[in-house]
């Protein structure tokens, strides 16, 4: 065997080893969050020793060697940094936070990803992945095959899981709010009248839009059981209903992370109801979703493919879509004209018009 062939074979084997043990990255990260390591370092305002980290962890029998091994992997993965400082007894290793990654892991941060990480690595969701092959063979969700019900029903019957799920959704919503407001500022500014946020939950997103664009008359539209828990927001009216039946009339409609949870057939029903609710000449819909690019090299392209499989595990008909998928869906739903606006986030904005 030639050396170049041997090297290629070794690289191929190494790549497979990497795939086999990728789960250790997620589990080590969860471990660090459960132990509060990021917050311990953050509270000191700078790099600290392993002993100082250990002192901040609530455990009477902490194994500092195991702690060091977890930290070693997470340093390798750029979650933490190490600095070596000379001392009388030799060299001391100081552990710090990375400038661009650790900031998303501070619990007290407004834009913390911690709730989402804890949800995705929760045993209730992780066990679903063992039924992924069944999804391919039989259809349906992996979650229901393991738990006997869909994730929404499971959350309804498990208050602790429900809170974790809601916290995770809220944290990701906060994460994209500012990029949406910035990336579509001219689009929101051009709305001369009303905006309906379809499936807007408790109204946080549309409230942020109205705060930035107070000329907009906003309606937060969702199912009755959601609207009953929605707090009052200045400039926002709450309306209950079902988007499969009818959508309130408006100059523009916002659909943020709604359509990816439904089949093409259901999405077309929603889109056709949107057509009925807006002016054919001046109306528009603003879709906020990920646009899959299977061959892309962007910072979120690989994550998008992972999200698509996540939808397979938890959403009965949900999926992420490519630009071509969106074009076809919009045309069938009554929106022959659209444009995709990239924003500094995992999601993009798709502006579509009926004419």
């Amino acid at each position: 065997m030639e050396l170049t062939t041997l090297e290629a074979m070794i690289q191929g084997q190494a790549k497979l080893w990497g795939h086999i043990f990728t789960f250790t990255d997620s589990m080590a990260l969860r471990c660090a969050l459960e132990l509060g390591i990021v917050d311990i370092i953050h509270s000191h305002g700078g790099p600290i020793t392993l002993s100082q980290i250990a002192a901040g962890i609530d455990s009477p029998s902490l194994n500092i060697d195991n702690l060091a091994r977890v930290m070693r992997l997470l340093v390798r993965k750029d979650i933490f940094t190490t600095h070596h400082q000379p001392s009388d007894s030799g060299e001391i290793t100081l552990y710090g936070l990375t400038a661009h990654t650790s900031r998303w892991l501070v619990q007290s941060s407004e834009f913390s990803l911690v709730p989402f990480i804890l949800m995705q690595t929760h045993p209730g969701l992780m066990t679903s992945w063992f039924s992924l092959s069944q999804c391919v063979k039989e259809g349906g969700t992996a979650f229901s095959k393991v738990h006997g019900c869909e994730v929404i029903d499971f959350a309804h019957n498990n208050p602790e899981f429900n809170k974790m799920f809601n916290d995770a959704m809220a944290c990701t919503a906060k994460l994209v709010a500012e990029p949406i407001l910035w990336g579509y500022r001219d689009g929101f500014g051009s709305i001369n009248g009303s905006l309906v946020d379809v499936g807007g939950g408790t109204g946080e997103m549309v409230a942020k839009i109205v705060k930035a664009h107070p000329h907009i008359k906003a309606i937060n539209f969702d199912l009755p059981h959601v609207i009953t828990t929605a707090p009052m927001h200045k400039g926002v009216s709450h309306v209950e209903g079902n988007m499969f039946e009818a959508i309130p009339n408006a100059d523009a409609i916002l659909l943020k992370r709604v359509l990816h949870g439904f089949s093409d057939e259901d999405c077309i029903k929603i889109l056709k109801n949107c057509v009925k609710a807006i002016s054919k000449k001046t109306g528009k819909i603003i879709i906020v979703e990920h646009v899959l690019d299977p061959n892309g090299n962007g910072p979120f392209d690989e994550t998008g493919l992972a999200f698509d499989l996540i939808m397979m595990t938890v959403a009965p008909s949900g999926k992420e879509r490519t630009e071509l998928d969106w074009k076809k869906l919009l045309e069938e739903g009554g929106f022959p004209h659209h444009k995709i606006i990239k924003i500094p986030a995992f999601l993009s904005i798709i502006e579509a018009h009926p004419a």
Side-chain angles (χ1 to χ4, degrees):
M1 188 180 293
E2 294 181 11
L3 184 60
T4 53
T5 303
L6 179 60
E7 288 173 346
M9 291 289 288
I10 294 299
Q11 288 174 0
Q13 184 189 120
K15 185 176 286 188
L16 282 177
W17 282 113
H19 290 316
I20 291 166
F21 293 115
T22 297
F23 74 92
T24 60
D25 298 345
S26 299
M27 292 296 99
L29 182 56
R30 181 183 176 91
C31 170
L33 297 179
E34 289 178 331
L35 295 173
I37 294 172
V38 176
D39 295 298
I40 292 168
I41 297 173
H42 179 70
S43 67
H44 279 77
I48 58 176
T49 65
L50 195 66
S51 296
Q52 287 175 301
I53 294 172
I57 297 172
D58 183 19
S59 173
S61 56
L62 185 135
N63 187 313
I64 199 162
D65 181 55
N66 286 348
L67 175 61
R69 292 157 72 182
V70 171
M71 294 299 291
R72 182 168 58 192
L73 174 66
L74 293 176
V75 167
R76 173 84 180 194
K77 297 298 178 179
D78 294 323
I79 303 299
F80 300 112
T81 63
T82 52
H83 306 273
H84 301 289
Q85 181 175 293
S87 71
D88 295 338
S89 57
E91 197 173 61
I92 297 175
T93 300
L94 300 176
Y95 295 90
L97 304 181
T98 56
H100 303 296
T101 303
S102 301
R103 59 167 295 184
W104 305 106
L105 302 174
V106 178
Q107 293 261 18
S108 58
S109 169
E110 183 184 359
F111 302 109
S112 174
L113 265 171
V114 171
F116 188 76
I117 296 168
L118 293 178
M119 181 192 75
Q120 288 298 336
T121 56
H122 185 274
L125 288 179
M126 292 294 287
T127 52
S128 301
W129 290 97
F130 291 98
S131 295
L132 192 63
S133 60
Q134 277 185 269
C135 292
V136 175
K137 290 178 180 178
E138 307 163 2
T141 65
F143 189 93
S144 66
K145 294 179 189 302
V146 173
H147 298 284
C149 63
E150 299 298 351
V151 68
I152 293 176
D153 300 317
F154 186 85
H156 181 73
N157 295 317
N158 295 269
E160 185 179 340
F161 182 89
N162 186 55
K163 183 181 183 308
M164 178 189 68
F165 186 87
N166 290 337
D167 288 346
M169 294 302 101
C171 92
T172 54
K174 284 181 183 177
L175 207 63
V176 298
E178 290 305 318
I180 291 170
L181 289 170
W182 179 85
Y184 196 66
R185 57 194 181 282
D186 293 338
F188 289 127
S190 67
I191 296 173
N192 296 314
S194 56
L195 171 69
V196 175
D197 187 358
V198 175
T202 53
E204 278 77 10
M205 185 67 233
V206 77
K208 289 179 184 292
I209 294 170
V210 171
K211 186 177 180 181
H213 304 274
H215 70 282
I216 294 176
K217 296 176 183 177
I219 297 171
N220 178 52
F221 180 69
D222 214 313
L223 294 168
H225 76 275
V226 178
I227 294 299
T228 54
T229 64
M232 296 301 295
H233 299 289
K234 186 178 179 180
V236 178
S237 300
H238 294 298
V239 175
E240 60 182 48
N242 188 324
M243 61 187 170
F244 288 104
E245 296 172 1
I247 292 169
N249 292 338
D251 295 286
I253 292 171
L254 175 66
L255 290 157
K256 183 175 78 69
R257 286 306 259 175
V258 172
L259 299 180
H260 82 135
F262 296 98
S263 66
D264 290 349
E265 293 75 19
D266 282 342
C267 286
I268 289 167
K269 290 177 187 176
I270 296 167
L271 290 170
K272 286 183 175 179
N273 282 338
C274 288
V275 171
K276 295 174 186 176
I278 60 175
S279 165
K280 189 164 185 179
K281 289 185 178 180
T282 60
K284 64 180 177 181
I285 59 171
I286 306 149
I287 298 169
V288 182
E289 292 281 2
H290 181 69
V291 179
L292 274 181
D293 185 356
N295 299 313
N297 295 311
F300 297 110
D301 286 330
E302 193 166 325
T303 304
L305 296 173
F307 255 98
D308 188 41
L309 292 192
I310 289 171
M311 296 305 292
M312 192 191 300
T313 65
V314 299
S317 302
K319 60 181 179 179
E320 304 298 343
R321 293 175 170 90
T322 65
E323 184 173 353
L324 187 61
D325 292 333
W326 283 115
K327 182 179 184 294
K328 183 181 177 183
L329 195 69
L330 288 165
E331 287 176 350
E332 291 185 27
F335 291 90
H337 307 290
H338 80 278
K339 64 179 179 178
I340 296 174
I341 302 166
K342 297 287 186 181
I343 60 175
F346 170 68
L347 306 175
S348 294
I349 292 169
I350 307 169
E351 181 187 277
H353 300 261

